[in-house]
Amino acid sequence: MAKPQAVVDYKICCPKKCKNGICLAVLECKHKVLKQDEPGEAPYQLGMCQGCATCVTACPYKAIRLI
Ligand code: SF4
Ligand code: SF4
């Protein structure tokens, strides 16, 4: 069975509200799946999500969910 995949809801994600524009979900993703090019920019997925949901709980705005 396929693992659930993390999806960023870009209508909710607001990197500028996060401390110093740093995405907490990117910091917490131990599998290095989520990337952020610059502080203040929205994160995106690059690579194979492991479905661990760490990013879901890390984002204070509930902008990430697993599908
Ligand atoms: S996903 Fe969450 S933690 Fe990451 S930049 Fe967006 S709002 Fe901030
Ligand atoms: S679910 Fe886990 S592996 Fe997938 S992006 Fe989130 S923290 Fe990374």
Side-chain angles (χ1 to χ4, degrees), residues 23-45:
C23 176
L24 295 168
V26 171
L27 292 180
E28 292 294 323
C29 177
K30 291 176 179 49
H31 301 282
K32 309 289 180 202
V33 171
L34 290 176
K35 305 285 178 192
Q36 186 181 33
D37 289 336
E38 300 282 345
E41 291 190 5
Y44 59 92
Q45 198 175 316

Side-chain angles (χ1 to χ4, degrees), residues 6 28-31 33-34 48-56 66:
E28 292 294 323
C29 177
K30 291 176 179 49
H31 301 282
V33 171
L34 290 176
M48 185 63 100
C49 174
Q50 300 300 309
C52 67
T54 304
C55 57
V56 175
L66 291 184

